[in-house]
Amino acid sequence: MTTLEPLTAEALDVLRARRSAKWRTYPGDVLPLALAEMDFAVAPEISAVLADAVRRSDLGYGAPGTELGDAFAGFAARHWGWAVRPSWVTAVTDVGLGVVELLRVFTRPGDTVVISPPVYPPFLHWPHEAGLRKSEVPLVLRRDGYHLDLAGLEQAFARHPAAYILCNPQNPVGCVHSAAEIESVVDLARRYDVRLISDEIFGPLTFPEAAFTPLLSVRGAADVGVSVISASKAFNIAGLKCAVIVAGSDATADALKNLPREVSWRAGHLGVMASVAAFTHGDQWLVRLLMTLQSRRTLLSALLAERLPAVTWHQPAASYLAWLDCSSLSLADAGDTFLARGRVGLDKGGPYGGGGKEFVRLNFATSPEILDQATAAMAAAIAAERATCW
């Protein structure tokens, strides 16, 4: 029996040669831990498919066939016991575009859409993009972490919004909404006739101590829900542009026929190939990735406790994102301080809503050396800021 080994992150000089947004957003002397890109080499099964496509100059327009639906259905069954009908899987460019197009299908201009911040900032803008109004029901923070505000959602749903956009697992806080919570949301949606759209992009990155519950695996959800998911975050292929919309009923699948024809055509050809490879052959690599991320999560916890004890957080049950509460540091803007004085680039929490102004989001999908260097620089930045103020 082969023992699986954790993944090794690329060296910093190799990473700095990358041309993706993570490595081009900041000057060259900044450690970028903001954008949700990982610092690991892509799974070899994906590399092989892409290299073969380039060798054959197979770089034309995408034409998603049945293989993407088949691949995702197999992945969903193996990982979550979720029975997906392949013909109900529709290719789209990315999760964000999929959500906006679904809003256009299931709502009318001027309708209200509910969201639960703190949440990935585009959630706050997608309703406007679709010509809709936004209503917010923030998450509630308890001793054990963040949860959906079910009482608040019932009050909001009773006002008959057109849709609720769920984020599960939730970016940036990393909570995995429980099966009971999802079931309650489904019950509310059915009672008040609210369409559910679930962004489940971080589902494959749920750690073993938690259990991810796909929306459409819950009884009754097929009548009111639709899921949007991608291999992009779990397999680090966001730039290849491919996600899937998943229906759970004939009625929803029929409604999706109202999507513009161009929606599927805009999915990246290489993205479809890479997604099929990931969903079909990437299980072993994904296990290694989760082992690695668990190790990094533990390391980050120790480094924060040692060097930044005033910074608090609830360790994420999914993803590689740490939502750090910097309110006890008494800084005007923690993100600005860490960048200006420590040369560490973190995502500022304000755009996530839900009282996130005094938070920063840190991406720990990197090497131990970079996490060590970053936390040391963050601690030094705080000391330098306080010395200046005093």
Side-chain angles (χ1 to χ4, degrees):
M1 182 175 179
T2 303
T3 301
L4 297 180
E5 297 291 335
L7 301 177
T8 300
E10 304 276 27
L12 185 56
D13 60 334
V14 175
L15 293 169
R16 290 202 184 279
R18 291 184 177 181
R19 293 181 287 176
S20 64
K22 178 178 179 180
W23 296 95
R24 286 195 163 186
T25 298
Y26 298 99
D29 65 331
V30 172
L31 279 177
L33 299 179
L35 274 71
E37 299 177 18
M38 297 189 289
D39 292 349
F40 309 110
V42 73
E45 295 83 1
I46 296 174
S47 293
V49 166
L50 297 177
D52 182 63
V54 172
R55 180 184 59 79
R56 292 183 288 105
S57 297
D58 186 4
L59 303 174
Y61 292 109
T66 59
E67 67 272 17
L68 182 59
D70 291 337
F72 179 72
F75 185 89
R78 293 193 307 275
H79 288 263
W80 307 310
W82 174 20
V84 172
R85 188 178 299 183
S87 61
W88 288 349
V89 175
T90 301
V92 291
T93 307
D94 55 39
V95 166
L97 181 142
V99 171
V100 171
E101 292 296 340
L102 287 171
L103 289 174
R104 289 175 174 147
V105 168
F106 292 113
T107 68
R108 295 174 296 181
D111 280 349
T112 297
V113 176
V114 180
I115 61 171
S116 294
V119 71
Y120 179 51
F123 271 63
L124 303 170
H125 306 295
W126 288 334
H128 176 73
E129 186 177 345
L132 307 168
R133 295 180 296 174
K134 177 186 64 180
S135 174
E136 298 184 14
V137 180
L139 300 178
V140 292
L141 179 59
R142 303 191 181 113
R143 291 174 62 91
D144 62 342
Y146 288 88
H147 296 271
L148 295 172
D149 181 357
L150 296 174
L153 286 174
E154 179 161 18
Q155 292 177 3
F157 284 16
R159 293 189 286 271
H160 301 291
Y164 173 52
I165 311 176
L166 175 68
C167 188
N168 184 37
Q170 185 104 6
N171 172 9
V173 302
C175 65
V176 180
H177 303 308
S178 69
E181 288 177 298
I182 302 299
E183 290 166 1
S184 295
V185 171
V186 169
D187 288 343
L188 290 173
R190 290 169 60 88
R191 187 184 314 163
Y192 294 105
D193 192 24
V194 177
R195 173 64 60 171
L196 301 178
I197 300 172
S198 187
D199 170 356
E200 300 178 341
I201 197 169
F202 279 107
L205 291 180
T206 300
F207 293 117
E209 75 268 15
F212 168 63
T213 303
L215 172 66
L216 294 177
S217 69
V218 171
R219 188 176 65 176
D223 298 331
V224 293
V226 60
S227 294
V228 193
I229 196 166
S230 174
S232 60
K233 286 291 182 274
F235 293 92
N236 213 36
I237 53 174
L240 297 180
K241 291 299 180 183
C242 180
V244 293
I245 294 173
V246 186
S249 69
D250 284 325
T252 300
D254 286 342
L256 295 183
K257 294 176 183 177
N258 293 316
L259 290 167
R261 179 174 177 268
E262 291 77 12
V263 167
S264 286
W265 275 93
R266 289 171 181 157
H269 182 40
L270 294 181
V272 172
M273 292 183 188
S275 297
V276 170
F279 289 139
T280 305
H281 304 296
D283 287 1
Q284 191 172 85
W285 185 90
L286 186 57
V287 170
R288 296 177 63 203
L289 172 64
L290 286 168
M291 291 170 55
T292 307
L293 295 180
Q294 283 182 281
S295 173
R296 299 297 187 272
R297 184 180 60 172
T298 299
L299 173 61
L300 178 61
S301 182
L303 291 172
L304 290 173
E306 175 188 351
R307 296 170 176 171
L308 297 152
V311 173
T312 59
W313 67 316
H314 292 271
Q315 292 192 32
S319 87
Y320 45 80
L321 305 170
W323 185 236
L324 305 180
D325 184 350
C326 301
S327 57
S328 295
L329 298 177
S330 301
L331 299 173
D333 190 300
D336 285 347
T337 298
F338 292 138
L339 179 60
R341 295 189 178 277
R343 310 310 286 162
V344 179
L346 305 176
D347 227 13
K348 297 167 73 169
Y352 291 83
K357 186 176 180 181
E358 294 189 292
F359 288 74
V360 294
R361 193 190 75 170
L362 182 152
N363 174 352
F364 57 83
T366 187
S367 67
E369 293 78 14
I370 288 178
L371 286 180
D372 178 69
Q373 184 178 341
T375 52
M378 290 164 66
I382 294 170
E385 182 75 9
R386 289 174 174 166
T388 300
C389 292
W390 293 342

